[in-house]
Amino acid sequence: MAPEIQSLCPSTTAALLLLAACLAAAVAALDAADYARPPLPAGGGGRRVLFANGLGLTPQMGWNSWNHFQCDINEAVVRSTADALVAIGLAKAGYTYVNLDDCWADSERTKEVGYMVANPKTFPSGIKALADYVHSKGLKLGIYSSAGTRTCSNRMPGSLGYEERDAKMFASWGVDYLKYDNCYRDGTPETVRFGRMSRALVNSGRPIFYSLCEWGFMEVPKWGGMYGNSWRTTGDINDTWSGMLDNIDLNDAYARYAKPGGWNDPDMLEVGNGGMAYNEYVVHFSLWAIAKAPLVIGCDVTRVSNETLGILSNAEVIAISQDRLGVQGQKVSKYGNDLEVWAGQLSGHRKAVLLLNRGATRSASITAAWPDVGIRRGVAVEARDVWKHETLPGWFTGSLTAVVGPHSCKLFVLTPVPS
Ligand code: GLA
């Protein structure tokens, strides 16, 4: 077995779930074998094994309450979100997780036994009933806690010291996903606190997607894959052009650590929240797709505009994100301050290529040169514009050039033509 595949499949476990993850990862590794991937460092990253729950073989897709609703959530909002995801086709497009963020729980644990309970005013039916409802729609329910004594809002308890109890409770409610934050910590390292919840989830008896949210501390991409399915690499996104770009730039430095089962997370989507123009949200969504970032919608999907829906449900862009190879695309060249080329390997010997104009005023011509995007000199490709849903006329050899407007991008899938 190739060493890369061996490292993905520890011999000590016989768990069937892990087997599924291993097989998929092995297939992806074989498909990727033709391509030079940046070597993993000699530290923890190189020896890591997948967090053994078989989930996250492609970046997670879903919805989360925080970016739009913050603490103003209740069970009606979550139910109508699940309804809307199905009704407007987002569920079918792949957005499966319906995730509660902060503020779902009562302010204190129960006095006698110390259980975390749903806020009786906003979630009177409880989380189990909510999970049943979400499941009845063919979707999955996510929940939120913190590796500290309180969550970031300080409106509910965190799980520090209660990891086993909370994980078992979440499992008994039918929860499918945990976002685990990093507020009100006690000084113990992230590796310890996030590791404890990782073990508790594995022991909970239910496969629960584990999303670490510790903002990139302790170089989490180097160890996050041993504990969870995704890890935040940045602070919180804000709904601005520069904030969005800051997050994806920070995230880019860790591209080599992403692979099926574990993903870098530059935070949730702001598409549809109103802080950016249409073309800027197209850039946001394109960058998240090519970088294999989680596609977790952060707007109110019950009142979504056609423009927003068009971005979020673009099947050709989603296919780049969800490509089975799971190779995170990277920034591969830069011209001046504003013009960039990003590229990433896709299955079937294809490439995703993004031409990005970060400038605010002028259109510019941007060239993706084959050596930069990793195509052999002399190879001819067909270029599909995945926003226009058009294949460009003719073949391209050596490079591809396009004019890109200010604060805009073009996103292509390049497929080699037989020589
Ligand atoms: C932190 C996280 C956010 C969100 C809030 C909730 O800031 O990074 O994504 O979960 O807490 O309070």
Side-chain angles (χ1 to χ4, degrees):
M1 200 186 277
E4 183 176 12
I5 300 171
Q6 246 168 7
S7 78
L8 290 168
C9 303
S11 57
T12 48
T13 175
L16 285 173
L17 283 172
L18 178 58
L19 191 62
C22 286
L23 283 175
V27 169
L30 284 174
D31 205 346
D34 286 350
Y35 302 97
R37 293 179 74 169
L40 288 168
R47 289 194 299 273
R48 83 180 169 89
V49 293
L50 284 177
F51 174 55
N53 64 0
L55 302 174
L57 299 181
T58 57
Q60 69 267 39
M61 294 177 67
W63 172 90
N64 171 289
S65 54
W66 183 254
N67 282 357
H68 183 84
F69 292 95
Q70 308 215 322
C71 276
D72 199 11
I73 52 168
N74 56 58
E75 61 186 40
V77 164
V78 181
R79 283 169 183 246
S80 57
T81 295
D83 295 347
L85 287 172
V86 173
I88 62 180
L90 289 171
K92 211 164 175 204
Y95 296 92
T96 308
Y97 289 107
V98 179
N99 294 349
L100 302 172
D101 206 280
D102 207 345
C103 307
W104 62 269
D106 204 7
S107 169
E108 304 296 336
R109 289 177 179 273
T110 56
K111 285 220 168 49
E112 308 75 41
V113 259
Y115 285 126
M116 211 189 261
V117 286
N119 183 317
K121 292 204 184 73
T122 48
F123 291 87
S125 317
I127 303 301
K128 169 92 175 67
L130 194 58
D132 289 346
Y133 184 80
V134 168
H135 292 156
S136 77
K137 297 266 154 186
L139 299 169
K140 293 174 183 294
L141 186 76
I143 211 160
Y144 164 96
S145 186
S146 177
T149 52
R150 306 283 293 167
T151 62
C152 297
S153 66
N154 194 12
R155 295 211 199 165
M156 58 174 271
S159 293
L160 188 67
Y162 292 87
E163 293 86 355
E164 290 287 333
R165 183 176 305 196
D166 288 354
K168 288 216 165 66
M169 184 62 93
F170 298 155
S172 77
W173 289 338
V175 163
D176 304 293
Y177 184 116
L178 174 68
K179 171 176 169 182
Y180 203 44
D181 218 329
N182 201 17
C183 284
Y184 293 94
R185 46 196 184 268
D186 65 354
T188 31
E190 276 72 22
T191 42
V192 173
R193 285 177 294 113
F194 284 78
R196 267 188 220 144
M197 182 52 92
S198 176
R199 281 187 295 280
L201 291 174
V202 168
N203 293 337
S204 75
R206 185 175 174 87
I208 297 181
F209 188 106
Y210 185 27
S211 153
L212 281 64
C213 177
E214 51 84 280
W215 317 308
F217 291 171
M218 293 185 76
E219 295 194 284
V220 64
K222 295 187 179 173
W223 52 268
M226 292 190 287
Y227 294 144
N229 301 109
S230 68
W231 45 88
R232 280 272 296 276
T233 52
T234 69
D236 289 5
I237 193 168
N238 59 62
D239 189 12
T240 62
W241 171 249
S242 61
M244 178 273 291
L245 289 176
D246 286 348
N247 274 28
I248 202 71
D249 285 342
L250 283 169
N251 190 72
D252 187 41
Y254 298 108
R256 72 181 64 174
Y257 299 102
K259 59 171 70 174
W263 308 102
N264 290 310
D265 177 4
D267 206 357
M268 302 172 292
L269 297 168
E270 292 283 13
V271 177
N273 278 333
M276 288 183 244
Y278 172 76
N279 48 303
E280 295 173 334
Y281 280 139
V282 166
V283 171
H284 178 15
F285 196 65
S286 301
L287 282 166
W288 262 239
I290 200 169
K292 302 291 187 285
L295 297 182
V296 179
I297 298 171
C299 70
D300 179 356
V301 292
T302 67
R303 288 161 217 269
V304 79
S305 70
N306 285 340
E307 265 192 356
T308 297
L309 189 57
I311 295 174
L312 295 173
S313 54
N314 184 327
E316 293 192 69
V317 181
I318 292 173
I320 292 174
S321 151
Q322 300 295 299
D323 184 78
R324 68 191 167 82
L325 271 195
V327 176
Q328 179 173 332
Q330 287 176 269
K331 193 183 299 190
V332 295
S333 54
K334 195 169 164 67
Y335 305 95
N337 286 332
D338 293 333
L339 310 181
E340 293 175 356
V341 179
W342 293 60
Q345 186 64 48
L346 298 175
S347 56
H349 306 278
R350 297 166 307 140
K351 299 275 180 190
V353 171
L354 180 123
L355 308 179
L356 171 62
N357 181 354
R358 299 167 77 125
T361 50
R362 275 192 291 275
S363 291
S365 168
I366 306 179
T367 296
W370 277 196
D372 293 337
V373 301
I375 301 178
R376 269 185 295 114
R377 224 173 275 282
V379 170
V381 305
E382 198 177 73
R384 172 91 180 159
D385 181 328
V386 296
W387 283 108
K388 283 197 175 154
H389 304 297
E390 267 173 26
T391 302
L392 303 189
W395 295 344
F396 296 83
T397 312
S399 65
L400 171 70
T401 300
V403 174
V404 184
H407 285 196
S408 299
C409 72
K410 296 224 159 147
L411 181 57
F412 298 100
V413 172
L414 307 186
T415 307
V417 291
S419 49

